[in-house]
Amino acid sequence: MPEIVIAGGGPNGLLLAAELCLAGVRPVVLERLPGDKEEQRANGLVGQVVQLLHRRGLYARLSGTDEPAPAPAYLFGGFRLDLADLPEHPVHLLPKPQRELERTLAEHAASLGADIRRGHEVTGFSTHPDSVTVRVNGPGGRYELTAGYLVGADGGRSLVRKLAGIGFPGVTRDDTVSFAAQVRIPAELTDPATGGLRAGSHVIPPFLHYRTETGVFTYAPFTVAAPMVNSTERGVPVPPDDGPPTLDEVRASIRRVLGTDLPIEAPPAGSGPPPRRLAGGNTRIATRFRAGRILLLGDAAHVHSAIGGPGLNLGLQDAANLAWKLAAEVHGWAPPGLLDSYDAERRPVSRRVVMHTQAQGALTAPGPEVTELRALFQELLSHDVVRGHLADLLSGNDIRYSDEPHPLVGRWSPDLRLADPEPLAAAHRAARPVLLDLSPGAKAAAAAGPWQDRVTIVSTSAAGETPTALLIRPDGYVAWASDDAGPDLDALRSALARWFGAGVTTAAA
């Protein structure tokens, strides 16, 4: 029987499957749709998840470049967020349509041994003290799977969440509608110098939420032949969802937002998905991410506005956080409370994302009072400390899973200039926990010996001012750190036991 069943084969479910495989657990992924999703969704990744994918060896495969670099600018609430003049910042970008990301993650998970079943829909489940029986409707008929755990990665309307009786409180807007389409635009309307767009009296920067008194417009030239346009309106009746909108509907929405016509045409055949309409919007967080042997992931656990592009950063980091903890339970070495720490760590992060997406929505709303608020906010953006704070917020770099006094504990592990970087890189690719020992005489490494069956020990040296030792979790966050030439070995052993269970010698005794 499979130890883990994942309901949903989107990016979050697929990354969870891959991470579980790296941890020695082969899950079954049940995806309702028989083939790839063609509708337009996310257009890329932003934040810490880009660095996570780089550590797993996936960034080069997705981007065609060797390693990510901080972006010179990003956006917040319709403002350009200039970052190039900051001493350092964590905003990394990976432009990539979601359907291409899903294909890459599916290939990655399958190559590691995940059983991905397309056209198989979860219809129900029954929980037992030591297992879950999942009912499935597949191409060959109905069948059942018994597993140790069921993970709902099945989207905002999650059947798994509903049947588990987990609440999903929040707010729903029913007065907004947005249209997105890949189109052709006359070349004379684009500005070769800035990559922007001219529409009537408007000069619209690329990839920026351009606010007017009637809505928001975005021009995203991911490809020259078929750039993406998006218009969002508030205070309008929500049309019925009766299939993809026509290009005339998209043109009419753009005219209402910009107050002028934009001559758009259908893109070359096969260059993209059909236009998309999104009516209304939800902001909700599940009351808990775990109910016994049922766990929630990604949109099944939280939904929010897509402004600023935080969705995949949030959901994929859910997957990285959950996978190694689930695998520890399966392998039998998980310390008490480890799996519950998934909810304790990730729900506060979800609330923070909801906070800043709602704030960005307020900054892009119509109305003269919002115009004045934006004037004040523009003044604040002249301060480095404000832009740095927003960069941390948008990237997830402000996540801290601990209140330990050491400033690195609970944070994303730093990239250090190691004398021999390959052993650490190999451990990151394999999603292994790591004790990185930079102390004289490798004192920490010797103390971690009883955990070497599940923790990779790397002893080397580093350039510059660095900690003397770091205990790094599989999801990339620091579990323990020392700056002393003689690390506190009792504190290290305590951290190893807290996160990775009893050491071998202790268990034997």
Side-chain angles (χ1 to χ4, degrees):
M1 89 177 188
E3 295 290 352
I4 311 291
V5 169
I6 302 169
N12 301 318
L14 291 169
L15 183 65
L16 176 65
E19 295 283 291
L20 285 168
C21 288
L22 288 170
V25 177
R26 301 292 182 265
V28 173
V29 181
L30 303 173
E31 168 53 46
R32 177 179 58 86
L33 297 177
D36 294 341
K37 302 182 186 72
E38 289 302 326
E39 65 178 354
Q40 182 61 38
R41 290 185 179 270
N43 291 307
L45 303 175
V46 56
Q48 294 284 24
V49 73
V50 177
Q51 293 170 290
L52 173 70
L53 294 180
H54 177 51
R55 290 185 178 184
R56 295 295 186 265
L58 292 170
Y59 177 81
R61 185 171 165 184
L62 286 162
S63 68
T65 57
D66 290 338
E67 59 183 305
Y74 195 54
L75 50 91
F76 185 91
F79 291 93
R80 175 183 167 90
L81 192 61
D82 290 309
L83 303 169
D85 60 339
L86 297 180
E88 57 180 351
H89 70 82
V91 179
H92 295 81
L93 306 178
L94 176 55
K96 181 65 60 175
Q98 182 170 320
R99 59 186 180 276
E100 295 183 27
L101 173 67
E102 286 187 16
R103 281 196 285 268
T104 299
L105 290 176
E107 292 167 2
H108 176 56
S111 72
L112 294 171
D115 181 357
I116 302 173
R117 304 181 186 181
R118 298 196 178 276
H120 293 246
E121 183 177 12
V122 172
T123 59
F125 59 84
S126 302
T127 57
H128 316 288
D130 58 355
S131 64
V132 181
T133 299
V134 184
R135 295 185 289 277
V136 187
N137 189 11
R142 298 182 179 182
Y143 65 96
E144 292 185 344
L145 280 174
T146 299
Y149 295 89
L150 170 63
V151 180
D154 49 343
R157 299 177 180 177
S158 171
L159 178 68
V160 172
R161 184 191 65 241
K162 293 173 183 176
L163 294 181
I166 297 175
F168 204 41
V171 296
T172 296
R173 293 194 67 98
D174 57 5
D175 65 343
T176 65
V177 62
S178 64
F179 295 86
Q182 283 187 263
V183 297
R184 283 185 299 155
I185 297 176
E188 61 269 18
L189 297 185
T190 61
D191 182 0
T194 64
L197 178 69
R198 293 188 298 273
S201 61
H202 303 283
V203 180
I204 302 168
F207 304 107
L208 188 69
H209 293 98
Y210 184 81
R211 174 191 174 267
T212 71
E213 288 295 345
T214 53
V216 177
F217 177 79
T218 306
Y219 169 66
F222 291 107
T223 64
V224 175
M228 175 71 65
V229 295
N230 181 285
S231 63
T232 300
E233 303 170 76
R234 286 193 184 185
V236 296
V238 174
D241 186 7
D242 54 358
T246 65
L247 210 54
D248 279 340
E249 288 179 89
V250 178
R251 291 188 186 100
S253 177
I254 294 172
R255 184 185 310 116
R256 290 191 293 270
V257 170
L258 295 181
T260 188
D261 287 312
L262 183 65
I264 58 174
E265 299 295 337
S271 61
R276 184 184 182 209
R277 178 197 300 108
L278 182 62
N282 287 289
T283 299
R284 299 181 179 276
I285 301 175
T287 54
R288 49 184 172 154
F289 289 7
R290 181 190 180 194
R293 294 184 173 271
I294 309 300
L295 297 113
L296 302 179
L297 175 72
D299 287 357
H302 40 68
V303 294
H304 48 79
S305 166
I307 191 168
L312 286 175
N313 189 31
L314 182 60
L316 293 173
Q317 287 205 77
D318 286 350
N321 186 292
L322 176 60
W324 66 278
K325 298 173 181 178
L326 262 181
E329 292 284 342
V330 170
H331 292 315
W333 58 255
L338 180 67
L339 193 52
D340 286 330
S341 73
Y342 168 63
D343 177 281
E345 291 182 343
R346 294 306 296 170
R347 278 211 306 141
V349 177
S350 305
R351 288 195 293 270
R352 194 149 177 81
V353 169
V354 162
M355 176 271 289
H356 79 68
T357 54
Q358 288 187 313
Q360 292 187 73
L363 282 168
T364 58
E369 68 281 6
V370 178
T371 300
E372 299 306 320
L373 174 63
R374 290 178 62 83
L376 173 61
F377 200 84
Q378 184 71 68
E379 292 180 12
L380 295 176
L381 290 179
S382 65
H383 299 284
D384 290 359
V385 66
V386 174
R387 285 178 286 121
H389 181 85
L390 293 176
D392 285 342
L393 177 67
L394 291 167
S395 67
N397 193 53
D398 60 350
I399 294 172
R400 191 174 186 195
Y401 293 141
S402 174
D403 57 3
E404 293 284 334
H406 195 287
L408 289 179
V409 175
R411 295 194 181 278
W412 180 258
S413 54
D415 291 321
L416 305 174
R417 291 180 291 163
L418 303 180
D420 182 7
E422 180 49 34
L424 179 61
H428 284 330
R429 286 194 296 272
R432 290 275 295 176
V434 178
L435 174 64
L436 177 62
D437 191 350
L438 308 174
S439 65
K443 300 178 182 66
W451 287 269
Q452 62 186 342
D453 63 319
R454 68 202 75 147
V455 177
T456 296
I457 299 173
V458 176
S459 298
T460 184
S461 60
E465 189 173 329
T466 68
T468 53
L470 291 174
L471 180 61
I472 305 171
R473 305 184 336 180
D475 58 352
Y477 287 82
V478 176
W480 170 87
S482 174
D483 294 320
D484 300 324
D488 184 341
L489 301 184
D490 287 338
L492 170 58
R493 294 185 188 99
S494 177
L496 285 162
R498 176 188 176 189
W499 294 107
F500 308 114
V504 171
T505 55
T506 304

